[in-house]
Amino acid sequence: MSTDAGDAAAAAGETGGTHLLEAPDAAQIARQLTEKYGVDALALAEARAERASEIGDMLALEAWQAVIAATQRLLRGARI
């Protein structure tokens, strides 16, 4: 994955909340990924979530799960 999506995910984090990403942030990252990678965006986000889980980074895992959900909604709506 390019660092731009990873940087966007990291920059979208918030402090003090129960969720790392707010829905608009996850949706923005999902849009960026689908614009760049099309239907492959979902596999890319899933791979990032898997890697976060492997290394025990639960904050990143939560963020990528939010991006996955937003990407799925986007792709369903776009019928890509």
Side-chain angles (χ1 to χ4, degrees):
M1 181 179 89
S2 68
T3 58
D4 57 338
D7 292 343
E14 66 175 33
T15 58
T18 58
H19 297 286
L20 182 63
L21 286 180
E22 292 293 324
D25 297 325
Q28 179 181 1
I29 294 167
R31 277 192 304 277
Q32 291 172 346
L33 290 175
T34 55
E35 286 171 4
K36 188 167 185 174
Y37 300 105
V39 295
D40 292 332
L42 186 57
L44 187 144
E46 289 170 339
R48 282 298 188 170
E50 183 178 336
R51 178 64 181 144
S53 178
E54 288 171 358
I55 65 171
D57 189 342
M58 296 300 109
L59 293 176
L61 175 60
E62 182 182 331
W64 282 110
Q65 288 171 335
V67 172
I68 289 166
T71 302
Q72 289 170 330
R73 286 190 300 274
L74 184 62
L75 291 174
R76 273 196 308 267
R79 303 274 190 238
I80 294 177

